[in-house]
Amino acid sequence: MEKLKNNSGTIDLPVFGISGGILIVFVVMGIINQELVTNIVNQSFAFSVKYFGAVYQFVMLGTFLIALFLGFSKYGRIKLGKIDKPEISNFKWISIIMCTLLAGGGVFWAAAEPLSHFLSVPPHYDGIQAGTEGAVSAALTTSFVDWGFLSWAILGTLGTIVLMYAHYHKGAPLKPRALLYPFFGERIMKNSALGTFVDAFSVIAVAAGTIGPIGFLGLQAGYGMNALFGIPDTMFVHAIIIILLVVVAAISAVTGIHKGIQILSSYNVILALLLVAAVLILGPGLFIFNSYLESFGMYVQNFISMNTFRSDEVWLSGWTVFFFAWFLGYGPMMAIFVSRISRGRTIREIVTAVAVIAPIVTTFWFTVVGGTGIFQEIMKPGSVSEALNSNGPPAAMIAITEQLPFGTILGFLFLLATIVFVLTTTDSMSLTISMAITGSGDPSKLMRVFWAVLMGAVATILLTIGEGSIGSLQSFIVVTAVPVSLLLLTTFWTAPRVCKEMAAEQGIIEPKQDESEGYGMVGKKDPV
């Protein structure tokens, strides 16, 4: 018996067993022989970076360009979800989208990455001396590449269009395999080995991508509490932080999108806006605005060349390809999540929010946080870099805030914002994984709690093994992105295809006879 009925959908036992089982095996092997796991992951990482790094960049760039075309052409008027009015207000909708991704980089990468590029100029730039004012725009622009338009577009544009078509317009369950519905129709939704593989690896990829930030949050929050309040920075404290995070995430996931997740996201965006205002007023506001304007202009001017840069594979594996793989791993699940919260929206609204507004806000946030650190480093060399080099990303954020007026208060608020960013991602992905396993937009509460607890438990166990285990998991993300990138590559064809069909249904274009009934396979009508 492959599937088990439940009040909130059908639990797909093969997907549940494979995805949960592989994560548990990963942890058990790490406990038994960490060196073996590290070697396997490192070799797989090197293989995927070498042979699929360019594929990751191609998929990311293609997704963004096709999404822009669909969003701002006549197809942008297509309304998705078969309801007339959106269920969630614009502010709350964008807040949920932004908080879900920014867990991994909202504060710590925003502080550490620009400064890292400032201290060691990326290979894109020849003749720029590290640590000088000439390196400021180079550092910020490179960070924009990693966290900008392409990274956001992969999370909720083409995949969301295909999933909303399959689920709301054709009645397919809300699972990653529904991305293949335009090719295979109902056959991919039934007892399909390919469908099981797609769902399982999509779950594994996003779980690995979420467990990493949970584990790092334990390390980072522990360091921050020690630096700010003198609380011992021990494994016990890290575990307590993760346990509290998982408990709140589970409660939030149980209450659903319209309560816990929505409330957390809205308040955290307000907190982030207050922090931006505080840094602009108390910190180098003019430097931040000038740097952002120049860096964003450089980013747009060199957009294609920077996103297709391939000349230094070693550097790429540590930065751009790693981040692109991370976001690719989130791609199918974020597409499900954005589909779930975007009923009643037009394609233009979705593309504008996800692929335009969110990256612009993110790049400005990186300039506010990271740019402040760069300014402090220029004014007083070593003021931030010493902490970054000795204690890593969490130290960068604390070092930056400590040099501002009301540094302890600001440091605590930045730490709080980071905790809520990670919390929002944990509860959102617990809900989304549960949706992927059950095919229901409202999966059982027990299933949501199970995944929140499992991801927190894996993160805690990995921390007890050693910080290197979390690093191995982060490298594992790049490996799991291989099958996911091939899955998302199919949307290059399917998203425009389903747009033509929906545009004809909604009277936006003249219907053609061969597009009026939908497709189950390439070139064939859906037999259902």
Side-chain angles (χ1 to χ4, degrees):
M1 185 175 179
E2 290 192 347
K3 295 187 178 180
L4 178 69
K5 278 285 185 183
N6 119 336
N7 293 332
S8 302
T10 303
I11 298 176
D12 193 322
L13 292 182
V15 173
F16 182 70
I18 292 170
S19 55
I22 288 179
L23 288 173
I24 293 171
V25 168
F26 183 89
V27 174
V28 172
M29 287 180 62
I31 295 172
I32 296 172
N33 192 335
Q34 184 183 353
E35 185 178 352
L36 175 63
V37 172
T38 301
N39 289 337
I40 292 173
V41 169
N42 287 344
Q43 289 177 16
S44 302
F45 174 83
F47 173 84
S48 57
V49 165
K50 182 175 182 178
Y51 294 102
F52 285 89
V55 175
Y56 296 164
Q57 290 173 272
F58 174 75
V59 173
M60 300 282 280
L61 181 60
T63 297
F64 176 67
L65 296 177
I66 296 171
L68 283 187
F69 167 75
L70 295 176
F72 296 99
S73 67
K74 57 190 173 185
Y75 299 116
R77 291 184 286 149
I78 296 171
K79 185 164 286 191
L80 299 168
K82 287 200 167 183
I83 60 173
D84 294 328
K85 187 178 179 182
E87 298 174 302
I88 302 173
S89 69
N90 289 335
F91 176 76
K92 290 179 179 178
W93 177 58
I94 294 176
S95 297
I96 293 172
I97 291 171
M98 293 208 63
C99 285
T100 301
L101 174 69
L102 279 176
V107 175
F108 290 105
W109 281 119
E113 184 174 356
L115 188 62
S116 296
H117 296 321
F118 175 73
L119 297 171
S120 179
V121 178
H124 309 72
Y125 305 95
D126 292 325
I128 295 179
Q129 185 177 349
T132 64
E133 292 189 13
V136 174
S137 293
L140 291 171
T141 302
T142 307
S143 300
F144 295 173
V145 172
D146 293 346
W147 292 85
F149 292 115
L150 304 196
S151 299
W152 279 98
I154 200 69
L155 298 172
T157 55
L158 301 188
T160 296
I161 292 169
V162 176
L163 283 173
M164 292 190 78
Y165 162 84
H167 181 63
Y168 295 113
H169 296 259
K170 295 297 177 182
L174 200 56
K175 297 183 174 186
R177 69 177 72 185
L179 288 166
L180 299 177
Y181 182 90
F183 286 105
F184 301 107
E186 289 294 326
R187 287 182 296 173
I188 195 66
M189 307 313 300
K190 296 177 181 177
N191 296 330
S192 161
L194 176 61
T196 298
F197 176 84
V198 167
D199 289 350
F201 271 85
S202 295
V203 170
I204 291 167
V206 79
T210 306
I211 290 165
I214 294 173
F216 278 121
L217 177 69
L219 298 172
Q220 294 160 347
Y223 177 89
M225 299 296 282
N226 175 260
L228 294 171
F229 307 113
I231 296 173
D233 186 14
T234 63
M235 177 58 218
F236 177 75
V237 173
H238 301 162
I240 293 297
I241 291 168
I242 292 176
I243 290 169
L244 291 175
L245 174 85
V246 168
V247 169
V248 178
I251 294 171
S252 178
V254 163
T255 60
I257 289 172
H258 296 285
K259 291 183 181 178
I261 295 173
Q262 189 178 121
I263 293 169
L264 283 172
S265 300
S266 297
Y267 280 110
N268 208 41
V269 166
I270 293 171
L271 174 59
L273 291 173
L274 291 174
L275 288 172
V276 167
V279 174
L280 290 174
I281 294 170
L282 300 174
L286 184 61
F287 176 84
I288 289 170
F289 281 116
N290 288 340
S291 298
Y292 182 71
L293 188 62
E294 182 177 345
S295 302
F296 195 82
M298 187 182 294
Y299 174 46
V300 173
Q301 182 181 358
N302 301 294
F303 183 76
I304 299 296
S305 62
M306 293 194 70
N307 281 294
T308 56
F309 177 79
R310 294 293 306 160
S311 298
D312 191 331
E313 206 169 81
V314 174
W315 183 90
L316 283 169
S317 69
W319 293 102
T320 303
V321 168
F322 166 71
F323 284 119
F324 280 8
W326 197 355
F327 301 137
L328 279 163
Y330 269 93
M333 290 301 174
M334 274 297 293
I336 290 175
F337 186 71
V338 175
S339 298
R340 178 65 179 81
I341 65 175
S342 300
R343 292 193 72 187
R345 301 279 176 185
T346 64
I347 289 177
R348 184 166 299 145
E349 287 177 306
I350 292 172
V351 171
T352 301
V354 176
V356 179
I357 294 174
I360 288 175
V361 172
T362 301
T363 52
F364 185 67
W365 171 263
F366 265 63
T367 307
V368 170
V369 179
T372 300
I374 290 174
F375 177 82
Q376 293 169 343
E377 187 68 19
I378 291 173
M379 293 295 102
K380 186 181 178 182
S383 58
V384 184
S385 60
E386 288 182 6
L388 174 65
N389 293 332
S390 59
N391 295 294
M397 186 272 288
I398 297 298
I400 291 169
T401 56
E402 283 182 337
Q403 296 179 68
L404 294 170
F406 310 105
T408 301
I409 296 173
L410 285 175
F412 173 75
L413 292 176
F414 269 105
L415 194 60
L416 178 63
T418 306
I419 291 170
V420 181
F421 276 134
V422 177
L423 175 60
T424 307
T425 297
T426 305
D427 61 11
S428 299
M429 291 304 101
S430 300
L431 174 63
T432 308
I433 290 171
S434 301
M435 286 193 285
I437 290 174
T438 63
S440 167
D442 187 26
S444 72
K445 295 178 180 179
L446 184 62
M447 179 68 76
R448 304 179 209 181
V449 171
F450 169 81
W451 278 100
V453 171
L454 177 61
M455 290 190 290
V458 173
T460 304
I461 292 170
L462 288 173
L463 280 181
T464 62
I465 298 172
E467 294 180 29
S469 298
I470 293 286
S472 295
L473 185 67
Q474 296 289 81
S475 297
F476 184 53
I477 294 168
V478 178
V479 179
T480 59
V482 171
V484 173
S485 65
L486 300 178
L487 173 65
L488 294 174
L489 184 61
T490 65
T491 62
F492 285 20
W493 185 87
T494 55
R497 189 76 171 180
V498 302
C499 281
K500 288 182 181 179
E501 183 180 327
M502 290 188 289
E505 289 176 356
Q506 297 181 22
I508 295 171
I509 63 173
E510 287 294 322
K512 295 180 181 179
Q513 187 174 0
D514 66 339
E515 293 176 348
S516 59
E517 298 179 15
Y519 293 81
M521 294 185 295
V522 178
K524 295 185 180 181
K525 300 288 179 62
D526 189 339
V528 178

